[in-house]
Amino acid sequence: MSDEERRQIRPRSMTRRYRRGLILVGVLCVVATLTAATLLFQRSYTGHVDRYLQALCTTLSDAYRLAGDGNADALADLAGDTGVRCTLIDGDGTVLYDSESTAPLTNHADRPEVRQALESGAGSSTRQSQTMGRETHYYALRLDTPAGTQILRVGEEVDNLWGLSADTLPLLIGALVVILLGAGLLSAWLTRLLVQPINRLAENLDTIEADVPYEELIPLARTVQTDRKLRENNETMRREFTANVSHELKTPLTSISGYAELIETGMAKSADVPAFAARIHKEAKRMIALVSDILQLSELDSTQAARGTPPDMGPVDLAALVKEIAQTMTVNARKAYVTLQYDARPATVEGCRDQLVELTTNLCDNAIRYNRPGGHVDLRCGVGPDGCPYLEVEDNGIGIPQDSQSRVFERFYRVDRSRSKATGGTGLGLAIVKHIALLHEARIDLQSQVGTGTTIRVTFPQKN
Ligand code: ADP
């Protein structure tokens, strides 16, 4: 699924989901409770019926035994008052008497309760009635009478589970509707209670971490807060950068425009024209340097934002690089009456050669520019005792005051603005160094003392 398609799909409503979930849980609980209650009630009810039939059958058999000599008429008198079905069955299954049927009945020898009673003295069984939702419970006892073995059986028709449910169904539906309504109202209230603090959270994102209502939301709140701070910082930095760039560009442009106007209007004496043109040239060169540094920084910024590595990565021979830069910079050093020396020991890093040339050139250029006549600059590279390759530039120049040392890597920060400008500085050299080091996962150490000099060491990660 593309990002566009994902954005078009509206997220589901949390309120609706919670409400539905709560109602569902409520209904499921009610249905489960009712089913369990009906089952338990039916079990206890039929148990009660079985116990009643057993007691009745025992009492009837005692009375029947006392009353006669195995004649079915004696039972007919006794059965009349019981209100349950009484049957007297001969040992061979012939029905001798049935309180609910005057017509002759079929042989009952195959009835489970009769078979059980003949075998063990007593038997019981439950059978589905012809009426839907009802069942008949039987209890039978074997009697040894003067007329032979007989079976006395009592039976009672009762509601089964379905019968019981059908009876209470309208009530049940009524209860369910009431419970459903209650669950609906309760779930709406509970959902509002749950969702409202989350909605309120979005009203004030500045204090989101302090206001977080549920501990499960702490990671989210933390991410939002961090992201916001990062955005604000980026925005401030961007604004400051734009203001600085405009200011830096305006000064040389004003100068160029002024000198050009003097020449254009003929106000400049012809003897001054070459000097004015030289000023214009110098300011234009400053602008070119500034724009090229800005472009380079913006390129480094985008590589960093994409969390990528610099392009053209590969093994870079630091010793060769140091020698090359020392040669290039010698002319500049001489112009400033500074001695440039190098000590290039074998060292290789995994990196982008062009960027490493830029980094070393910037450090070397600063060491020359912020030096004094007769000073020296030492350019070194090698592998430290910890196995990490390093690049080091040391000078015995003017040094950087302690309180500025942490700031010199910021964009446009300069300790001495006029000296920086006079020597062609853009205020972006060390910011570029910092970015390149970051992209190479290198560490920068700065040691400096005013009047004594500065040493900047870039330590690269150890090669695997
Ligand atoms: P600039 O273009 O002004 O040199 P940089 O970013 O290269 O900008 O350096 C920032 C500031 O740090 C400089 O303006 C300067 O004041 C100070 N600085 C940098 N390198 C040195 C050094 N080797 N010795 C003394 N000061 C330095």
Side-chain angles (χ1 to χ4, degrees), residues 54 72 87 113 117 138 205 231 269 271 359 367 369 383 393 451 458:
Q54 187 180 352
T87 317
E113 68 281 1
Y138 292 104
L205 289 179
R231 273 167 201 268
K269 289 186 219 137
L359 176 144
R369 286 193 296 119
V383 177
V393 182
V458 182

Side-chain angles (χ1 to χ4, degrees), residues 362-363 366-367 369-370 395 398-400 408 410 413-416 420 424-431 448 454 456:
N362 282 4
L363 290 178
N366 281 357
R369 286 193 296 119
Y370 301 106
D395 68 68
I398 60 169
I400 304 168
V408 285
E410 287 174 19
Y413 183 83
R414 292 155 165 129
V415 179
D416 182 346
S420 161
T426 59
L428 295 173
L430 287 185
S448 185
T454 305
I456 297 181

Side-chain angles (χ1 to χ4, degrees), residues 235-254:
E235 181 56 23
T236 316
M237 264 172 61
R238 199 187 57 78
R239 240 181 284 127
E240 277 175 13
F241 186 69
T242 315
N244 275 324
V245 168
S246 318
H247 179 77
E248 294 286 334
L249 285 175
K250 202 176 161 195
T251 320
L253 272 177
T254 316

Side-chain angles (χ1 to χ4, degrees), residues 226-240:
T226 316
D227 194 60
R228 257 176 84 78
K229 274 196 193 131
L230 208 75
R231 273 167 201 268
E232 276 169 15
N233 286 349
N234 283 350
E235 181 56 23
T236 316
M237 264 172 61
R238 199 187 57 78
R239 240 181 284 127
E240 277 175 13

Side-chain angles (χ1 to χ4, degrees), residues 417-445:
R417 182 165 284 271
S418 53
R419 182 171 182 141
S420 161
K421 287 195 172 170
T423 53
T426 59
L428 295 173
L430 287 185
I432 292 174
V433 167
K434 186 179 89 177
H435 265 281
I436 295 175
L438 212 72
L439 288 172
H440 285 80
E441 290 168 23
R443 193 185 74 228
I444 302 177
D445 294 301

Side-chain angles (χ1 to χ4, degrees), residues 67-236:
D69 49 3
N71 193 336
D73 295 340
L75 184 68
D77 294 338
L78 294 166
D81 307 329
T82 58
V84 298
R85 181 178 176 191
C86 292
T87 317
L88 189 67
I89 304 149
D90 200 21
D92 62 1
T94 314
V95 178
L96 301 173
Y97 165 75
D98 189 273
S99 63
E100 285 183 8
S101 168
T102 44
L105 291 170
T106 55
N107 192 291
H108 271 36
D110 61 338
R111 304 293 194 270
E113 68 281 1
V114 175
R115 241 187 296 130
Q116 267 177 46
L118 279 170
E119 278 164 21
S120 59
S124 67
S125 78
T126 304
R127 279 196 289 283
Q128 196 56 49
S129 299
Q130 252 124 30
T131 327
M132 206 12 211
R134 288 180 74 76
E135 62 192 15
T136 313
H137 290 238
Y138 292 104
Y139 188 80
L141 272 178
R142 190 182 67 201
L143 308 173
D144 294 314
T145 65
T149 300
Q150 291 181 341
I151 306 292
L152 175 61
R153 185 187 77 171
V154 288
E156 169 83 319
E157 200 183 49
V158 294
D159 279 343
N160 65 10
L161 186 66
W162 303 118
L164 282 175
S165 309
D167 275 355
T168 49
L169 203 63
L171 267 174
L172 230 112
I173 291 173
L176 209 70
V177 169
V178 172
I179 290 169
L180 214 72
L181 277 173
L185 289 173
L186 202 71
S187 64
W189 176 69
L190 274 173
T191 311
R192 232 199 16 237
L193 212 69
L194 192 89
V195 175
Q196 231 171 24
I198 301 175
N199 282 339
R200 232 177 285 134
L201 200 65
E203 284 167 14
N204 199 354
L205 289 179
D206 286 334
T207 53
I208 186 168
E209 213 177 332
D211 296 344
V212 66
Y214 306 115
E215 64 176 2
E216 290 82 354
L217 292 179
I218 292 176
L220 177 76
R222 206 164 281 160
T223 312
V224 170
Q225 189 107 326
T226 316
D227 194 60
R228 257 176 84 78
K229 274 196 193 131
L230 208 75
R231 273 167 201 268
E232 276 169 15
N233 286 349
N234 283 350
E235 181 56 23
T236 316

